[in-house]
C-alpha cells in the first residue's frame, strides 16, 4: 500500500470523524508535512477532505471516483476490471490507450478508465465531450474467438450492457439507436466506439469504448451536437453514482459476453430488439455515401439491420449513419 492509500484508508476508517495530523503522522511514521502533502494529492484526485488546524482531517462525502480503489471492492465481475484496471485522472482518449495496451499484448478483460478525456473520440473523426468526473469514459479490451462475420454482435452487446446498467441502476428507459447510440426520450446519453484489429479470418482484439453522461448538468453541454444530449442527472434530477453504474455495466457486459463466446446470442439479440428505437421505423441510411431509405424491420443474427425499401428489396446493413424519419411509409 502506498502512503497515499494508507492516509486514505485511515481517513475512511474514521467514518466522517476527524483524525488529527499528529495521530496520522505517528501512525504512519512520517512527518505532518508529509501527511499534508498526501492529503493535497488526494484533494487533487477529487476526494473531498475537510481540514482544520485544530482537528486535523476528515472525509464526510463519499468520493464518486472511478479509481480501482473505489470501484473494485463491490465489483462482481470475474474478469473485467479485476486484473488489469488502468486508471487515469486525465488522458487523451481511453480507446487510444487501450489500443496501445492491446497491441502490447494486454489480455482480455483489461479496462481503461479516465476521469477526463482531452481528445475523446467519436466515430468518423468526431469527438466525444468528456468533462472531468461527470461521465464514464471506459474502454474494454476483448479477444473474442468468434467468426469474423459476427463482429458486429459485439457493439450491439455493448449497447445492451449500457442500457441494462441504466435500467437496473437508475430505473431509466433507454433505447438503442442502432448501431451504437443510447438515447433516452430521443436524447443521446451514451455512445459506443468499437475498434477492431483483425486478421484475414479472425479477430485479434477489439477495443470497445463507451462514453456515458452521468452527472453532467444539462445546461453545460455544448449546443452543437448532432442529436440533443442528456445525462442521468438531466433525466432523474439527482446525482447518480458513477461507481455503481460502472460496476453494473461491467457485470452486464461480462454476462452477455460469456454467452457470446459460447455462440449464444439469442438473449442479447432479443434484448437489443426490444430496446431498439429504429425497428418498425422508416429510416434513411448513409453508408459510405450510399443512401438507402426504407423500413427498418429487424436486426439479424449477426447484429445487422434489415431494411426493406420501396421496391421490396431487403438490404442488410452492417454499419452506417441512420436517421429515423418522422413520417410513416407511403403505401
Ligand atoms: C459515438 O460517436 O457516439 C462514440 C463515442 C464513444 C466515446 C467513448 S468515451 C471512452 C472511449 N474513448 C474514446 O476516445 N471514445 C470512447 P458518434 O456516433 O460519432 O457521436 C459523436 C457525436 O456525438 C459528436 O459529433 C457530437 O455531436 C455528439 N457528442 C459528443 N459528445 C457527446 C456527449 N458527451 N453526449 C452526447 N453527445 C455527444
Amino acid at each position: 500500500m502506498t502512503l497515499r492509500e494508507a492516509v486514505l484508508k485511515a481517513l475512511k476508517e474514521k467514518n466522517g470523524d476527524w483524525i488529527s495530523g499528529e495521530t496520522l503522522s505517528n501512525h504512519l511514521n512520517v512527518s505532518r508535512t508529509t501527511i499534508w502533502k498526501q492529503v493535497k494529492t488526494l484533494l487533487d484526485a477529487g476526494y473531498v477532505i475537510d481540514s482544520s488546524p485544530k482537528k486535523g482531517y476528515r472525509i464526510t462525502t463519499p468520493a464518486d471516483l472511478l479509481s480501482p480503489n473505489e470501484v473494485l471492492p463491490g465489483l462482481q465481475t470475474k474478469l473485467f476490471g479485476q486484473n488489469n484496471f488502468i486508471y487515469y485522472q486525465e488522458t487523451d482518449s481511453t480507446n487510444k490507450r487501450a489500443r496501445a495496451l492491446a497491441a502490447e499484448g494486454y489480455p482480455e478483460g483489461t479496462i481503461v478508465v479516465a476521469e477526463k478525456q482531452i481528445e475523446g473520440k467519436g466515430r468518423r473523426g468526431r469527438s466525444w465531450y468528456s468533462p472531468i468526473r461527470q461521465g464514464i469514459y471506459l474502454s474494454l479490451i476483448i479477444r473474442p474467438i468468434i467468426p469474423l462475420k459476427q463482429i458486429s454482435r459485439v457493439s450491439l452487446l455493448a449497447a445492451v450492457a449500457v442500457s441494462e446498467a441504466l435500467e437496473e441502476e437508475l430505473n431509466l428507459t433507454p433505447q438503442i439507436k442502432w448501431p451504437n447510440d443510447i438515447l433516452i426520450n430521443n436524447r443521446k446519453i451514451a455512445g459506443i466506439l468499437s475498434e477492431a484489429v483483425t486478421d484475414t479470418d479472425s479477430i485479434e482484439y477489439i477495443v470497445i469504448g463507451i462514453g456515458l453522461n452521468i452527472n453532467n448538468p444539462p445546461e453545460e453541454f455544448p449546443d452543437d451536437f448532432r442529436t440533443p444530449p442528456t445525462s442521468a442527472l438531466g433525466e432523474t434530477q439527482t446525482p447518480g453514482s458513477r461507481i455503481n453504474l460502472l460496476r453494473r455495466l461491467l457485470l452486464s457486459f461480462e454476462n452477455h459476453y460469456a454467452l457470446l463466446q459460447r455462440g449464444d446470442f439469442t438473449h442479447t439479440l432479443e434484448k437489443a430488439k426490444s430496446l431498439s428505437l429504429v425497428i418498425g421505423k422508416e429510416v434513411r441510411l448513409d453508408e459510405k455515401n450510399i443512401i438507402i431509405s426504407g423500413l427498418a424491420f429487424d436486426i439479424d443474427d449477426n447484429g445487422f439491420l434489415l431494411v426493406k425499401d420501396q421496391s421490396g428489396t431487403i438490404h442488410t446493413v452492417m454499419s452506417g449513419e441512420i436517421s429515423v424519419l418522422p413520417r410513416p411509409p407511403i403505401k
Side-chain angles (χ1 to χ4, degrees):
M1 193 186 299
T2 62
L3 182 58
R4 193 179 104 142
E5 284 167 349
V7 170
L8 181 61
K9 183 163 176 276
L11 284 167
K12 281 186 175 173
E13 278 168 3
K14 295 299 278 185
N15 286 323
D17 282 343
W18 294 96
I19 182 166
S20 73
E22 194 180 348
T23 311
L24 278 168
S25 95
N26 290 339
H27 174 57
L28 298 169
N29 224 355
V30 291
S31 71
R32 288 176 65 170
T33 316
T34 306
I35 296 291
W36 163 240
K37 282 186 185 148
Q38 296 305 317
V39 169
K40 178 86 178 39
T41 69
L42 289 167
L43 287 167
D44 290 342
Y47 285 94
V48 183
I49 300 172
D50 301 330
S51 57
S52 136
K54 289 206 180 111
K55 298 177 187 162
Y57 306 103
R58 69 172 180 186
I59 292 186
T60 47
T61 327
D64 193 29
L65 298 175
L66 301 181
S67 64
N69 250 332
E70 303 297 324
V71 175
L72 283 176
L75 181 63
Q76 289 173 32
T77 55
K78 294 199 179 63
L79 178 66
F80 285 87
Q82 293 294 355
N83 300 318
N84 291 289
F85 188 138
I86 318 295
Y87 173 68
Y88 294 99
Q89 296 291 331
E90 178 180 310
T91 191
D92 44 5
S93 146
T94 56
N95 261 39
K96 202 167 165 187
R97 293 299 111 227
R99 276 170 48 192
L101 295 172
E104 265 178 50
Y106 269 64
E108 174 158 282
T110 300
I111 66 166
V112 181
V113 178
E115 297 290 359
K116 174 182 178 180
Q117 294 183 119
I118 42 182
E119 273 173 47
K121 292 195 297 167
R123 297 182 304 154
R124 303 186 179 190
R126 294 191 284 259
S127 58
W128 188 255
Y129 170 70
S130 314
I132 189 157
R133 291 178 214 127
Q134 293 188 355
I136 290 178
Y137 318 115
L138 161 74
S139 298
L140 306 101
I141 296 177
I142 54 169
R143 298 178 181 276
I145 304 169
I146 54 171
L148 201 49
K149 74 172 174 69
Q150 291 179 0
I151 197 165
S152 295
R153 286 183 170 187
V154 170
S155 297
L156 209 53
L157 186 159
V160 168
V162 173
S163 303
E164 282 184 349
L166 289 168
E167 284 177 338
E168 289 165 16
E169 194 55 41
L170 296 174
N171 248 327
L172 290 170
T173 43
Q175 287 189 296
I176 299 174
K177 184 172 169 218
W178 187 94
N180 77 325
D181 290 351
I182 314 296
L183 274 63
I184 295 183
N185 297 325
N186 291 316
R187 294 177 169 269
K188 182 160 167 174
I189 192 166
I192 295 161
L193 173 67
S194 304
E195 298 184 286
V197 170
T198 59
D199 291 332
T200 38
D201 59 354
S202 65
I203 299 165
E204 197 184 321
Y205 59 82
I206 307 178
V207 166
I208 299 170
I210 297 171
L212 175 54
N213 302 326
I214 302 180
N215 290 326
N216 311 62
E219 66 280 5
E220 286 182 13
F221 282 113
D223 52 19
D224 58 352
F225 286 167
R226 294 151 50 89
T227 307
T230 190
S231 63
L233 175 66
E235 296 302 314
T236 63
Q237 273 71 54
T238 356
S241 160
R242 293 185 312 145
I243 297 179
N244 288 347
L245 264 161
L246 177 59
R247 289 182 184 141
R248 286 261 195 181
L249 171 51
L250 291 171
L251 185 62
S252 178
F253 185 92
E254 181 167 287
N255 289 339
H256 285 280
Y257 186 63
L259 291 172
L260 178 96
Q261 285 280 55
R262 293 206 294 269
D264 181 357
F265 193 54
T266 323
H267 172 65
T268 312
L269 183 59
E270 281 313 309
K271 183 80 194 195
K273 286 186 195 177
S274 74
L275 295 171
S276 174
L277 181 78
V278 296
I279 292 181
K281 300 259 171 63
E282 242 342 78
V283 296
R284 184 175 186 277
L285 273 144
D286 179 348
E287 197 190 8
K288 296 184 185 125
N289 294 330
I290 300 170
I291 312 285
I292 299 167
S293 293
L295 177 71
F297 66 96
D298 204 0
I299 299 172
D300 77 6
D301 192 45
N302 289 323
F304 301 151
L305 190 68
L306 302 180
V307 179
K308 190 190 268 181
D309 70 17
Q310 290 274 359
S311 72
T313 308
I314 292 174
H315 301 264
T316 303
V317 188
M318 294 170 161
S319 68
E321 302 291 332
I322 194 166
S323 328
V324 178
L325 303 176
R327 262 182 273 144
I330 302 154
K331 294 254 167 71

